[in-house]
Amino acid sequence: TSSFAAVLADLEGDNLSQALRALAGTAAQIKELGQIQLRESARFGRMRDLAETIGGRITHMKTSLKDVESLAVNSKIAAANIRAPGTDFTTFANEIGRTLEATKSTLDQFGAELRVVRQHVSAAHSGQVLFETRQREAARSITERLSATVKSIALRHQRSSRASLEVKLGGARV
């Protein structure tokens, strides 16, 4: 009976508590990794939104450049007819200048947004590298902890088998 008490104490003692704490620690790490994944996913969402905004700016720039091209053609036509009375060549030149300023402004906005995209991409990349590193560490930790738990259970099984055998042998003697 002292062997049974020893096995019972072993099963209820520090080894089981340590195994449970190890499993709880692993669960906490997995939860933290999930939260990191959510944050990184949100960063990638912001990058996608910025990319869409930049795409809109590019479309606007293409439209502006077509306007400039049309004005340039009109300026050439006006220049050819500049001797005609009532033709105001300065209107064409002013429109070209206005369109070019709008294009420059759009390009400046594009550059600023592109810098933000780069920052988000860099942060997302760093976060992804961190996530992958921690995921590898967690996987290695889980494997080590499960291996230790299995070894502990096997050891307990051996002890309980010995205790059972001792009880059986002791009962046979009586």
Side-chain angles (χ1 to χ4, degrees), residues 48-124:
R48 183 196 66 234
D49 294 345
L50 281 171
E52 288 177 17
T53 299
I54 290 170
R57 299 248 187 255
I58 290 171
T59 300
H60 180 73
M61 286 174 23
K62 288 178 181 178
T63 302
S64 295
L65 291 175
K66 286 180 183 177
D67 290 345
V68 171
E69 185 179 9
S70 295
L71 289 172
V73 169
N74 288 339
S75 294
K76 288 178 184 176
I77 292 169
N81 296 319
I82 198 134
R83 295 184 189 138
T87 302
D88 189 5
F89 184 71
T90 57
T91 301
F92 290 111
N94 289 340
E95 282 300 308
I96 289 172
R98 185 193 62 76
T99 304
L100 288 175
E101 280 302 312
T103 303
K104 183 184 178 305
S105 175
T106 300
L107 284 173
D108 290 344
Q109 289 173 342
F110 174 74
E113 290 166 351
L114 190 56
R115 283 189 293 277
V116 172
V117 167
R118 286 183 191 144
Q119 290 170 351
H120 283 292
V121 168
S122 178

Side-chain angles (χ1 to χ4, degrees), residues 6-19 21 156:
V7 170
L8 184 60
D10 193 32
L11 288 174
E12 293 176 350
D14 289 337
N15 288 338
L16 185 57
S17 296
Q18 287 174 353
R21 280 195 301 274
R156 289 184 193 134

Side-chain angles (χ1 to χ4, degrees), residues 3 6-7 10 15 154-164:
S3 296
V7 170
D10 193 32
N15 288 338
L155 179 63
R156 289 184 193 134
H157 183 320
Q158 288 175 348
R159 287 180 185 166
S160 66
S161 295
R162 276 190 231 129
S164 176

